[in-house]
């Protein structure tokens, strides 16, 4: 090898960087392979390996020297038969192969064969069949020449589709050719011609294809299928001789990269570099049975490259990356590994570390240069302890005043789920908004389990409490369960159970109620959406109860809600049994009778006054005033404004008297109903409110003839002094005015004919009115 070929003489930094990229694979790799430098870079790589091998042989013992020399020779041969274009120089290859030919009597080969010595040959020729993406290694095995073939660059899919490292086996196939065949005239020429052609010419069939717009096109970015070498050539050579050859192979965990960004051709790891590594590893491991030698040489080669990079002052991060890769390989050999070359490696690593350290120190110095800290420090530090820091002082004082962590962080639940049991009735008022659904659920549970126990401790308020609860629950459940038929059905069931409890209590207290139908349409309960067995069982009980309550009642004759002043009306019949109400009526009538007596006296007194005034006026004549008319000069007279006769007449006419209206309806039965409504028993009121809630709101039934006429007066307002209790949902109202209101300013005495004009009957016509729905009560009707 000429001295000028020694690496890296004459190589520029970009060539060296390119070699580092292939050998070390640092994180920052080129993104394209368009530069066209690949072939010259491969040449430089080959020179680097040869230089490193020459250096390395100075550091190995004699046992290994032969192996290293042989490897070096193989690389030199590789270099010599490699043409400028990267393809094989067939002429040179033929020369090399001829030099082995035993026909040439001076060759060693012939000499050994004549002496019948079974020698281990030093023949080792790596060939790069560039255009086929294949490598061939020619070796000799006893009486045969062995050709081992393999793929070089893996496909893009294999590189990018593999997680971790790509494991590959070399060689892919091997074939042996007997030496006597090899020596036949013309064989070497034909063989080398074929290889040269293959290394130069690409074949369309071996190129990868992509389909573009239905047409199959060659994908230049992917690698060529090496089948022409690994399969076709193999098959042709095999046909010459039937000897197949089993060779040991090596497996390599290779790191490959395919990178392209805004580039036509991708950057990939050099195939020549792979061919070199496979050749060296196969050679060292197989022919010389030395598994460590390859690894040791790779460390040496990398260190050789690092030394070069450091001398050429490559960037710090690249040097650091190279150092760490070498260090990792050293570590794999073991801490106590010893070899003659190891001193060289440690020396280079130390040099590089020192170099990096120096660079760092330089960077630190540069940054510090312009800052004058001395002057600065004088300005911000207080000269003595007197410098005031009022906010800091306040903060330090506040430390003592801090509360115990524990007391500050006591957990306060934003709400607590109320616990209900049979001993008390739930309270649904003032529930926190976010807990309402849970509270409702707890209440439903109470109705299911504890209601029947709670109602056993009955007192006069029990029914009212049940109604208030049902109303409260109804309002909340409508709001919370809106749009959820299942929950609304459970709410309906719950309210109906509350009603049932109330109904049982009131029936016990007022047996008369049992004769009146509650008018709840039990068939509507079929439309409830209930899923659990428990709910369905409760529903069955409820339905049976309601149907039982409707049997044999007066419902056909008289509605408990709307019937007023009828002999079958509940109020009329209740009145008949109630001394309380009869007494109330007596009181009202007694007071009214007394009032009537006074009114009669007042009437007669006013009639007498009227007659007197009229009489006195009759005796008088009109008074006139006389005056002189200024235009005519005659004396005229006009009726005096203070004529006493006329004053008396006016006085008589202006006499009025307030009418007395009988407080109760004239019809006896209506009076009884009205008396009942003046003092409705509280449990009956609760029952009626609750039943209306169930029918009208929960089961959504309307009043059949619902009209909303003008309400003029109500019983509670008209007889407010006798009315007890709160106003009920269903109350008696009148569409006609009372006589008292009609004659609000009194009746003129002169128009009265007798005392019957003053002592009038009751003018109100009562009907039941639903004050919640603002309409008159009639029979319920299912809503369409
Ligand atoms: Zn007069």
């Amino acid at each position: 090898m000429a001295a000028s070929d020694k690496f890296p003489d004459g190589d520029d930094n970009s060539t060296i960087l390119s070699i580092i990229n292939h050998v070390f694979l640092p994180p920052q790799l080129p993104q394209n392979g368009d530069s066209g430098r690949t072939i010259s870079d491969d040449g430089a790589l080959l020179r680097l390996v040869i230089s490193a091998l020459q250096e390395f042989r100075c550091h190995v013992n004699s046992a290994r020297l032969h192996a290293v020399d042989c490897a070096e020779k193989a690389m030199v041969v590789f270099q010599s038969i490699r043409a400028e274009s990267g393809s094989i120089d067939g002429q040179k290859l033929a020369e090399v192969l001829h030099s082995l030919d035993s026909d040439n009597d001076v060759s060693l080969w012939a000499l050994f064969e004549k002496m019948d010595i079974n020698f281990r040959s030093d023949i080792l020729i790596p060939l790069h069949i560039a255009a086929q993406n294949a490598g061939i290694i020619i070796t000799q095995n006893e009486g045969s020449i062995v050709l081992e073939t393999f793929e070089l660059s893996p496909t893009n899919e294999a590189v990018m589709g593999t997680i971790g490292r790509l494991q590959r086996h070399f060689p892919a196939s091997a074939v042996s050719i007997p030496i006597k065949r090899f020596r036949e005239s013309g064989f070497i020429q034909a063989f080398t011609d074929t290889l040269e052609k293959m290394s130069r010419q690409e074949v369309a069939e071996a190129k990868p294809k992509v389909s573009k717009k239905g047409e199959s096109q060659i994908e230049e970015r992917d690698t060529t299928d090496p089948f022409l070498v690994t399969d076709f050539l193999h098959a042709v050579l095999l046909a010459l001789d039937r000897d197949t050859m089993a060779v040991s192979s090596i497996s390599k965990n290779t790191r490959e990269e395919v990178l392209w960004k805004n580039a036509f051709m991708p950057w990939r790891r050099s195939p020549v570099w792979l061919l070199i590594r496979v050749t060296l590893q196969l050679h060292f491991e197989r022919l010389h049975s030395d598994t460590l030698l390859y690894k040791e040489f790779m460390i040496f080669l990398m260190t050789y490259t690092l030394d070069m990079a450091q001398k050429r002052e490559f960037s710090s991060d690249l040097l650091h990356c190279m150092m760490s890769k070498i260090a990792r390989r050293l570590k794999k050999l073991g801490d106590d590994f010893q070899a003659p070359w190891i001193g060289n490696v440690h020396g280079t690593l130390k040099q590089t570390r020192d170099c990096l350290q120096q660079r760092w120190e330089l960077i630190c110095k540069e940054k510090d240069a312009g800052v004058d800290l001395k002057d600065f420090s004088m300005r911000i530090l207080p000269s003595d302890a007197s410098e005031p820091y009022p906010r800091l002082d306040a903060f330090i004082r506040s430390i003592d005043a801090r509360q115990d962590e524990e007391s500050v962080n006591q957990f306060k639940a934003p709400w607590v789920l109320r616990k209900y049991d049979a001993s008390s009735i739930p309270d649904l008022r003032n529930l926190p908004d976010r807990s309402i659904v849970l509270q409702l659920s707890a209440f439903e549970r109470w109705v299911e389990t504890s209601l029947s126990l709670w109602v056993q401790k009955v007192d006069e308020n029990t029914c009212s409490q049940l109604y208030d609860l049902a109303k409260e629950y109804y309002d909340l459940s409508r709001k919370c369960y809106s749009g959820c038929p299942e929950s609304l059905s459970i709410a309906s069931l719950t309210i109906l159970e509350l009603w049932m409890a109330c109904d049982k209590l009131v029936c016990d207290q007022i047996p008369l109620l049992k004769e009146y139908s509650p008018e709840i349409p039990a068939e509507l309960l079929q439309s409830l959406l209930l899923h659990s067995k428990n709910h369905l069982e409760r529903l069955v009980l409820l339905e049976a109860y309601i149907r039982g309550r409707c049997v044999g009642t007066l419902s056909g004759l008289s509605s408990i809600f709307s019937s007023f002043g009828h002999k079958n009306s509940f109020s009329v019949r209740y009145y008949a049994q109630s001394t309380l109400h009869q007494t109330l009526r007596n009181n009202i009538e007694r007071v009214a009778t007394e009032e009537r007596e006074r009114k009669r006296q007042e009437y007669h007194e006013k009639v007498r006054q009227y007659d007197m005034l009229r009489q006195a006026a009759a005796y008088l004549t009109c008074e006139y005033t006389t005056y002189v008319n200024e235009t005519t000069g005659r004396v005229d007279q006009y009726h005096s404004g203070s004529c006493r006769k006329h004053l008396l007449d006016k006085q008589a006419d202006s006499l009025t008297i307030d009418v007395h209206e009988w407080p109760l309806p004239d019809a006896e039965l209506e009076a009884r109903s009205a008396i009942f409504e003046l003092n409705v028993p509280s449990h009956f009121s609760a029952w009626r409110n609750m039943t209306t809630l169930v029918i009208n709101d929960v089961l959504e039934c309307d009043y059949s003839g619902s009209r909303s006429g003008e309400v003029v007066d109500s019983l509670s307002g008209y007889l407010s002094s006798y009315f007890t209790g709160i106003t009920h949902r269903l109350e008696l109202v009148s569409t006609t005015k009372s006589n008292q209101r009609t004659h609000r300013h009194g009746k003129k005495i002169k128009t009265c004919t007798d005392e019957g004009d003053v002592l009038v009957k009751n003018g109100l016509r009562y009907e039941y009115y639903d004050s919640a729905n603002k309409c008159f009560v009639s029979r319920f009707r299912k809503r369409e």
Side-chain angles (χ1 to χ4, degrees):
M1 197 171 83
S4 62
D5 277 353
K6 192 171 164 67
F7 192 82
D9 301 341
D11 289 303
D12 57 12
N13 281 0
S14 61
T15 306
I16 294 174
L17 180 63
S18 168
I19 287 171
I20 291 170
N21 285 338
H22 290 301
V23 174
F24 285 87
L25 278 183
Q28 182 96 43
L29 286 168
Q31 282 291 338
N32 74 67
D34 295 348
S35 66
R37 299 183 45 120
T38 321
I39 291 155
S40 61
D41 287 347
D42 283 344
L45 191 55
L46 204 46
R47 282 187 284 116
L48 164 75
V49 174
I50 293 167
S51 300
L53 279 168
Q54 285 169 349
E55 189 83 22
F56 188 58
R57 73 186 295 279
C58 308
H59 299 284
V60 294
N61 55 31
S62 53
R64 288 166 149 191
L65 194 59
H66 178 68
V68 176
D69 278 346
C70 188
E72 187 204 329
K73 213 184 317 173
M75 290 303 137
V76 172
V77 170
F78 184 15
Q79 193 182 37
S80 69
I81 57 179
R82 196 168 171 273
E84 290 274 303
S85 63
S87 58
I88 289 172
D89 186 334
Q91 191 65 37
K92 290 261 176 62
L93 177 60
E95 281 171 21
V96 171
L97 292 176
H98 275 301
S99 76
L100 304 175
D101 193 343
S102 58
D103 277 356
N104 180 352
D105 285 342
V106 294
S107 79
L108 274 175
W109 202 350
L111 190 63
F112 285 136
E113 198 178 62
K114 278 175 188 164
M115 292 164 72
D116 203 18
I117 296 172
N118 188 9
F119 64 96
R120 293 180 66 85
S121 170
D122 290 341
I123 297 175
L124 179 65
I125 307 171
L127 297 172
H128 181 205
I129 315 296
Q132 308 306 325
N133 183 29
I136 299 178
I137 299 175
I138 299 177
T139 52
Q140 187 188 6
N141 182 34
E142 296 175 1
S144 315
I145 296 290
V146 179
L147 263 74
E148 295 172 73
T149 57
F150 47 90
E151 178 191 54
L152 287 176
S153 292
T155 59
N156 290 353
E157 192 190 348
V159 175
M160 294 187 281
T162 308
I163 297 169
R165 294 186 175 204
L166 179 64
Q167 193 174 50
R168 306 175 68 199
H169 294 271
F170 303 100
S173 58
V175 61
S176 70
I177 308 162
I179 285 181
K180 63 176 189 302
R181 171 80 70 186
F182 207 74
R183 267 191 239 138
E184 276 171 15
S185 141
F187 182 90
I188 287 179
Q189 194 58 44
F191 181 66
T192 52
D193 281 354
T194 309
L195 288 183
E196 182 186 338
K197 203 170 181 182
M198 279 180 153
S199 73
R200 211 175 49 229
Q201 265 183 18
E202 291 187 336
V203 181
E205 282 73 16
K207 299 294 283 182
K209 309 287 192 312
V210 286
S211 180
K212 281 183 182 170
K213 294 176 186 167
E215 229 176 292
S216 188
Q217 294 184 5
I218 289 173
E219 172 56 276
E220 295 289 355
R221 291 171 167 185
D222 210 341
T223 56
T224 306
D225 186 345
F227 77 93
L228 271 181
V229 175
T230 56
D231 297 13
F232 179 70
L233 181 66
H234 181 84
V236 169
L237 292 176
L238 205 59
L240 298 175
D241 189 274
R242 295 207 171 271
D243 269 356
T244 49
M245 175 79 192
V247 292
S248 62
S249 67
I250 51 166
S251 72
K252 283 182 79 65
N253 287 326
T254 60
R255 285 187 62 207
E256 297 290 344
E257 299 283 349
V258 176
L259 302 165
W260 74 88
K261 192 172 170 186
N262 302 326
F264 174 62
M265 291 300 286
W267 183 90
R268 61 176 82 245
R269 219 171 176 186
S270 163
V272 169
W273 174 233
L274 180 72
L275 178 59
I276 292 169
R277 283 181 295 155
V278 171
T279 307
L280 291 178
Q281 195 174 354
L282 278 173
H283 171 66
F284 287 148
E285 289 188 12
R286 192 197 291 159
L287 300 181
H288 296 274
S289 308
D290 191 339
T291 50
L292 273 183
L293 187 55
Y294 172 72
K295 289 178 182 170
E296 290 177 37
F297 173 67
M298 287 316 286
I299 295 172
F300 187 84
L301 176 89
M302 290 166 93
T303 311
Y304 188 78
T305 317
L306 173 65
D307 184 47
M308 210 173 311
Q310 186 238 318
K311 283 182 178 135
R312 296 236 180 165
E313 302 197 323
F314 275 58
S315 69
S316 302
D317 48 351
L318 187 64
L319 293 181
H320 180 79
C321 167
M322 292 167 80
M323 271 171 66
S324 51
K325 293 216 171 190
I326 293 168
R328 199 165 61 201
R329 280 178 179 256
L330 267 180
K331 187 83 183 161
K332 280 185 184 167
L333 292 178
D335 289 334
D336 50 358
F337 180 81
Q338 284 301 328
W341 50 267
I342 205 120
N344 261 36
V345 173
H346 283 310
T348 305
L349 288 177
K350 186 179 180 311
Q351 253 176 26
T352 314
R353 250 194 317 273
D354 290 349
C355 165
L356 292 180
Q357 184 61 33
Q358 276 169 18
R359 286 186 193 181
W360 175 241
E361 279 164 9
L362 209 63
I363 290 168
C364 293
K365 269 184 199 158
E366 273 174 16
K367 292 289 169 199
D368 288 347
V371 186
D372 190 357
L373 283 176
K374 195 182 171 199
D375 194 29
F376 187 60
S377 65
M378 292 307 287
R379 237 172 260 166
I380 58 163
L381 289 177
S383 51
D384 51 41
S386 67
E387 199 74 18
Y389 290 105
R391 290 178 66 186
L392 181 62
D393 292 343
F395 174 74
I396 292 170
R397 275 198 300 276
S398 76
I399 292 174
D400 280 340
R402 283 179 192 167
Q403 273 187 311
D404 234 1
E405 189 85 354
E406 219 170 317
S407 63
V408 171
N409 285 341
Q410 259 176 2
F411 174 70
K412 269 188 192 157
W415 52 272
V416 175
L417 190 62
R418 296 176 186 174
K419 266 193 163 180
Y420 304 128
D421 57 26
S423 63
S424 62
I425 188 165
D427 183 2
L428 295 177
R429 286 168 301 175
N430 305 323
L431 295 178
D433 265 356
R434 56 183 131 171
S435 75
I436 284 183
V437 173
L438 292 173
Q439 306 277 11
L440 291 185
S441 185
F443 172 70
E444 285 153 13
R445 179 91 186 132
W446 178 85
V447 171
E448 182 191 338
T449 58
S450 308
L451 174 64
S452 53
L453 297 170
W454 179 78
V455 292
Q456 286 170 4
K457 295 179 290 182
V458 75
D459 64 28
E460 56 185 9
N461 289 324
T462 307
C463 292
S464 310
Q465 284 175 310
L466 282 176
Y467 168 68
D468 291 342
L469 203 54
K471 181 82 174 72
E472 202 86 53
Y473 174 71
Y474 170 77
D475 291 340
L476 287 173
S477 63
R478 277 290 130 148
K479 202 169 66 185
C480 292
Y481 296 162
S482 163
C484 178
E486 288 89 349
S487 297
L488 284 171
S489 296
I490 292 172
S492 301
L493 180 72
T494 305
I495 295 173
L496 276 156
E497 286 194 332
L498 289 170
W499 171 83
M500 183 165 73
C502 175
D503 189 67
K504 283 175 181 169
L505 288 174
V506 181
C507 283
D508 285 349
Q509 290 168 3
I510 314 172
L512 180 64
L513 186 64
K514 290 183 202 160
E515 295 180 33
Y516 291 84
S517 165
E519 299 183 23
I520 294 176
E523 64 274 17
L524 283 185
L525 301 186
Q526 290 168 5
S527 56
L528 294 185
L529 276 177
L530 297 170
H531 297 308
S532 83
K533 188 183 171 200
N534 165 34
H535 287 146
L536 291 171
E537 284 170 354
R538 287 159 64 191
L539 185 66
V540 167
L541 287 178
L542 199 59
E543 274 184 325
Y545 180 80
I546 293 170
R547 290 190 199 284
R549 275 284 278 114
C550 295
V551 172
T553 56
L554 291 168
S555 63
L557 298 168
S558 180
S559 165
I560 194 164
F561 302 107
S562 57
S563 172
F564 173 77
H566 186 270
K567 69 178 168 55
N568 285 327
S569 296
F570 176 81
S571 49
V572 172
R573 296 178 67 200
Y574 188 91
Y575 172 88
Q577 304 170 354
S578 168
T579 49
L580 178 82
H581 288 89
Q582 288 162 13
T583 312
L584 175 62
R585 182 182 180 180
N586 288 341
N587 285 341
I588 293 171
E589 288 185 337
R590 183 171 46 76
V591 171
T593 311
E594 286 167 11
E595 282 171 356
R596 284 219 144 171
E597 193 48 45
R598 281 197 294 278
K599 186 60 74 180
R600 186 178 288 114
Q601 287 171 10
E602 183 191 344
Y603 172 71
H604 288 299
E605 176 61 26
K606 286 201 168 155
V607 169
R608 201 175 54 79
Q609 267 184 30
Y610 179 80
D611 289 344
M612 275 171 59
L613 288 169
R614 280 289 181 193
Q615 247 174 0
Y619 284 113
L620 293 175
T621 53
C622 280
E623 292 168 19
Y624 294 91
T625 308
T626 55
Y627 76 102
V628 179
N629 189 326
E630 284 177 7
T631 47
T632 59
R634 287 170 55 184
V635 175
D636 272 345
Q637 58 178 192
Y638 62 91
H639 188 257
S640 167
S642 54
C643 168
R644 288 196 57 228
K645 178 183 171 70
H646 274 86
L647 282 178
L648 289 174
D649 278 343
K650 210 184 262 178
Q651 218 176 335
D653 285 349
S654 68
L655 279 176
T656 59
I657 185 166
D658 290 337
V659 298
H660 179 267
E661 182 173 38
W662 193 248
L664 297 173
D666 200 40
E668 171 60 21
L669 295 180
E670 288 185 15
R672 292 183 181 186
S673 282
I675 291 291
F676 175 82
E677 288 297 335
L678 280 177
N679 190 354
V680 181
S682 69
H683 41 285
F684 176 77
S685 172
W687 178 90
R688 191 166 59 180
N689 285 341
M690 176 105 89
T691 314
T692 316
L693 177 80
V694 166
I695 300 172
N696 198 247
D697 300 330
V698 177
L699 299 177
E700 303 186 339
C701 294
D702 287 328
Y703 299 107
S704 54
S706 64
R707 59 189 179 84
S708 46
E710 194 200 359
V711 174
V712 179
D713 226 328
S714 68
L715 179 73
S716 56
Y718 181 65
L719 293 176
S720 57
S721 56
Y722 296 108
F723 187 81
T724 32
I726 46 153
T727 45
H728 315 293
R729 174 168 174 173
L730 300 190
E731 57 173 341
L732 285 178
V733 299
S734 171
T735 49
T736 55
K737 278 184 187 174
S738 73
N739 287 317
Q740 275 174 343
R741 283 178 63 176
T742 314
H743 307 286
R744 195 177 299 154
H745 304 296
K747 204 164 179 178
K748 284 195 158 53
I749 293 293
K750 68 170 181 180
T751 61
C752 293
T753 50
D754 60 15
E755 61 181 36
D757 288 334
V758 177
L759 306 177
V760 295
K761 289 179 187 173
N762 192 280
L764 298 173
R765 275 212 307 276
Y766 289 117
E767 276 181 86
Y768 280 103
Y769 184 76
D770 185 335
S771 57
N773 281 350
K774 302 264 179 287
C775 67
F776 290 93
V777 177
S778 55
R779 291 276 179 174
F780 288 110
R781 180 188 57 181
K782 283 167 233 167
R783 203 175 284 175
E784 293 304 323

